[in-house]
Amino acid sequence: MRDAFTITEITVTLCVLSVLSAIAVPWAGKLLDRVQARGAGLEVESVFSSARHSAIARSAHTTVDIDTAARVMYVSVGGETVRKKGIGTDHGVDLSSSREQMIYAATGMGYGAANVSVVVRRGAAADTVFVSRLGRVRH
């Protein structure tokens, strides 16, 4: 009766484990990128929705500023910043947008003639949030 493993058994076990980890690690990294991008997309959607609700509740123009360099979004009402969200630092993503600013009227409608799209990207994963000129958010 033996009480220990042989060197051959240990070597085979380590080889199998290393092959399995070589397969699993890149997959786990991609999964983490997708999760972070999706979470950041939900945060962007939340910022736009709260800005629209603030405009309606306060009956005032509300502005959403998107600073892609700093990866931060600001919500301002009457020149006063009421919300600041560091999307890039919180989720480790990069931001890009079709416009730097979205203004909501007191009715909740968006000012301007164009829609806004915000893309959050981490690694190969990306998520896009669309805001219509009517003020509706689609993710």
Side-chain angles (χ1 to χ4, degrees):
M1 185 177 272
R2 65 179 196 185
D3 291 354
F5 295 107
T6 65
I7 193 73
T8 307
E9 292 172 332
I10 293 173
T11 305
V12 168
T13 303
L14 288 176
C15 287
V16 168
L17 286 175
S18 60
V19 167
L20 290 176
S21 10
I23 294 169
V25 167
W27 180 81
K30 289 177 186 176
L31 176 66
L32 182 61
D33 287 348
R34 286 194 309 265
V35 167
Q36 290 294 342
R38 177 72 176 166
L42 291 173
E43 288 280 347
V44 169
E45 184 178 352
S46 169
V47 169
F48 279 111
S49 294
S50 70
R52 183 172 189 240
H53 290 293
S54 292
I56 294 169
R58 296 179 185 210
S59 294
H61 285 70
T62 304
T63 304
V64 178
D65 290 307
I66 306 162
D67 187 354
T68 57
R71 302 180 305 169
V72 177
M73 295 179 70
Y74 303 93
V75 176
S76 304
V77 178
E80 175 190 348
T81 301
V82 294
R83 185 172 181 190
K84 174 185 175 185
K85 193 66 183 168
I87 305 288
T89 55
D90 291 349
H91 295 277
V93 297
D94 292 324
L95 287 176
S96 62
S97 66
S98 60
R99 295 174 53 194
E100 295 178 357
Q101 192 176 67
M102 174 74 177
I103 301 172
Y104 287 102
T107 60
M109 301 279 283
Y111 259 19
N115 298 333
V116 177
S117 62
V118 179
V119 179
V120 291
R121 187 177 316 274
R122 178 175 168 157
D127 202 11
T128 306
V129 176
F130 299 100
V131 184
S132 72
R133 63 179 173 221
L134 298 175
R136 295 191 185 118
V137 181
R138 186 170 44 105
H139 183 223

